[in-house]
Amino acid sequence: MVLSKTASQSDVSVHSTFASRYVRDSLPRFKMPENSIPKEAAYQIINDELMLDGNPRLNLASFVTTWMEPECDKLIMASVNKNYVDMDEYPVTTELQNRCVNMIAHLFNAPLGDGETAVGVGTVGSSEAIMLAGLAFKRKWQNKMKALGKPCDKPNIVTGANVQVCWEKFARYFEVELKEVKLRDGYYVMDPEKAAELVDENTICVAAILGSTLNGEFEDVKRLNDLLVEKNKETGWNTPIHVDAASGGFIAPFLYPELEWDFRLPLVKSINVSGHKYGLVYAGIGWVIWRSKEDLPEELIFHINYLGADQPTFTLNFSKGSSQVIAQYYQLIRLGYEGYRNIMENCQENAMVLKAGLERTGRFNIVSKDNGVPLVAFSLKDNSRHNEFEVSETLRRFGWIVPAYTMPPDAQHVTVLRVVIREDFSRTLAERLVLDIEKVLHELDLLPSRVTEKLVGSTAGSVPVEEHHRAVVKKTAIEVQREITAAWRKFVADRKTNGVC
């Protein structure tokens, strides 16, 4: 008996995790625990809690890739311990990044001569890429104004109100005024004529979006280029264009090769694209490409002798993983032009299947365009009893994550649902989604109308004064966590609605 008891106490790993004491207490939420626990218990407990997350494959809110081939998964895991910044230690990884930059630059029709190397860099995502491009524009504008003996303390950038929130971040973090072209009913992208009107001598660039996050529509970069060419001739300002092709950069070359939006237009000086969107790589990789070396000021490039060799670098991050760079190269050589074209065509066809199914219900207006990013944005024709947010919430019961959001100014009265069609969203899933949406509509039709905010507000206002003077009760850890989560959700909801991605 003594020996049995001793063995039981000395080797806790022989027990089932669910028979151990580690599942009897709540997980630490705010402070590191004093004692260690077995690796099996730590894995099982965390894995079980993660089961409450949504299914990434059914997350139709996101453009980000959620599936890759097993062979690429193996490459990712084999390189997960490589720090990309160690260029001298991992020269092949550096070479693969340079190959990706050149392939993408040629895809975007960069004016490169024979044997000429493209100018670009891999980033953590399009947000970092946009920060780098914006900094390059700001520095070039400052240098020009200084040379002319003019003030250079009030730069601005012109965008549409439909831009992703990272543009607002760039403007705020790097002290650049953001001049936004407002939207209007039926026109949910930047109007090039209005954008050109907002341009002045202090405009460092105009940012055009190739694939709006709101409805997938491509902005008319060609028209914007032509307007700015004329304005530059009249004023001598030479205002350039940056194309935010985060979503559309890996779509337009394959579905719309004749569309002029890239370096074929003379004023397009830089382009960013998300490798982790339609570049078909897991989250954590973006790219920014410059037209030529002259468009990236040399003073922004750091030359660091850190780990044995001169390392030129232009990034906001220093250390980062190598896996996504290697995965991007895998996709580019594995799929080639043919493979990317086939995948994008499948995505577009499945988007049309979903659109047709929604139209057959007779309950929705389609807000998205047929030509653009393969997605379907739609709104209820009649939302007097139940709105798009209720449809989104009810769809969660079927496993679908479909976002609902309001448009930016001046179309904020329009609410839409949006389904992004990715590589792993098949025609069968598109048809299934339509069936589940029909079920949701039927269920909502049987429910009473939602309580109005006015009624809720009046009820809340009738709480007796003495209720507000009750003794404060100490909250449990889970209550505190819920309050924090609720506060952050409200904070995000109160921000600009064009941060959807």
Side-chain angles (χ1 to χ4, degrees), residues 1 257 414:
M1 295 294 293
V414 178

Side-chain angles (χ1 to χ4, degrees), residues 444-495:
L444 291 176
D445 287 342
L446 298 177
L447 293 175
S449 299
R450 62 187 184 277
V451 179
T452 63
E453 292 182 6
K454 182 177 181 181
L455 180 58
V456 173
S458 62
T459 304
S462 62
V463 177
V465 176
E466 58 269 16
E467 293 290 331
H468 298 288
H469 297 283
R470 289 180 175 175
V472 177
V473 180
K474 186 176 181 180
K475 298 180 177 64
T476 64
I478 191 64
E479 288 174 330
V480 172
Q481 183 187 17
R482 286 170 178 165
E483 278 197 0
I484 293 172
T485 302
W488 272 107
R489 283 177 176 169
K490 184 177 185 303
F491 174 79
V492 173
D494 289 343
R495 304 301 298 159

Side-chain angles (χ1 to χ4, degrees), residues 256-267:
Y256 316 105
E258 302 304 319
L259 180 67
E260 294 184 48
W261 63 273
D262 51 19
F263 292 121
R264 286 171 288 183
L265 303 175
L267 292 184

Side-chain angles (χ1 to χ4, degrees), residues 400-413:
W400 302 106
I401 302 174
V402 178
Y405 51 88
T406 55
M407 289 289 192
D410 287 329
Q412 59 266 42
H413 58 282

Side-chain angles (χ1 to χ4, degrees), residues 52-111:
L52 299 174
D53 267 347
N55 184 338
R57 295 282 301 277
L58 298 181
N59 179 11
L60 307 182
S62 178
F63 294 84
V64 176
T65 296
T66 54
W67 179 87
M68 297 188 75
E69 291 177 326
E71 290 77 12
C72 193
D73 288 343
K74 292 177 184 178
L75 286 173
I76 288 172
M77 292 310 299
S79 57
V80 75
N81 57 351
K82 291 183 180 180
N83 184 1
Y84 174 75
V85 76
D86 298 348
M87 298 179 185
D88 196 48
E89 283 72 15
Y90 307 123
V92 175
T93 300
T94 302
E95 170 64 18
L96 296 189
Q97 190 239 208
N98 294 337
R99 293 179 191 176
C100 289
V101 167
N102 281 278
M103 289 181 181
I104 295 170
H106 281 285
L107 190 66
F108 294 166
N109 295 294

